[in-house]
Amino acid sequence: MRDYELIYIIKPDLDPAASAGVIERVNGFVTTDGGGSIVKTNQWGMRQLAYPIGRYREGQYVFSLVQIEPASAVRIEQRLRLTEDVLRYLLVRAEEAANEPAVEDVMGGAEVTETPAAEATAEPAAEAPADAPAPTA
């Protein structure tokens, strides 16, 4: 299993219950169709789009960190493409970068939900001593 980042934009005119239903449906694509697991889901909220998509100028952004097999990524993207309430999506392989800030820190940390599987597999990050000199290039 590999870690993937899934970011998708939901139509802005959906009520909160319908938005939660879309998020659950997308999570079902990962767990049922992809045979994977959801590590965490972070709702970034309503944001303005860089360009209009159809008649929409803003959308509800959702970030999910998922663990799936590489072969099931194609099936998940196909299901996302056919979901009418999802305006755009991006599924990319997550890179391990210890020096970059967490996505929650960058986006201002909205609602974050973690699954128990994520807590069990999370390993504490090894930190360098504060008084250690910085490496030079």
Side-chain angles (χ1 to χ4, degrees), residues 24-94:
E24 287 299 318
R25 191 172 345 142
V26 171
N27 288 347
F29 297 162
V30 172
T31 56
T32 306
D33 297 343
S37 63
I38 307 292
V39 177
K40 70 175 129 179
T41 299
N42 186 350
Q43 295 181 18
W44 290 346
M46 192 73 69
R47 299 192 179 273
Q48 187 172 2
L49 301 174
Y51 55 90
I53 300 174
R55 61 183 177 99
Y56 301 107
R57 296 192 175 275
E58 55 185 23
Q60 299 178 38
Y61 282 68
V62 180
F63 169 83
S64 293
L65 185 61
V66 300
Q67 291 181 340
I68 56 173
E69 294 294 331
S72 53
V74 175
R75 288 191 305 259
I76 293 170
E77 286 182 334
Q78 188 177 33
R79 297 288 304 265
L80 286 167
R81 192 176 307 119
L82 296 174
T83 305
E84 291 181 11
D85 292 331
V86 175
L87 298 176
R88 290 286 189 271
Y89 65 89
L90 179 66
L91 180 66
V92 294
R93 184 173 173 193

Side-chain angles (χ1 to χ4, degrees), residues 124-130:
E127 296 182 16

Side-chain angles (χ1 to χ4, degrees), residues 128-135:
D131 60 341

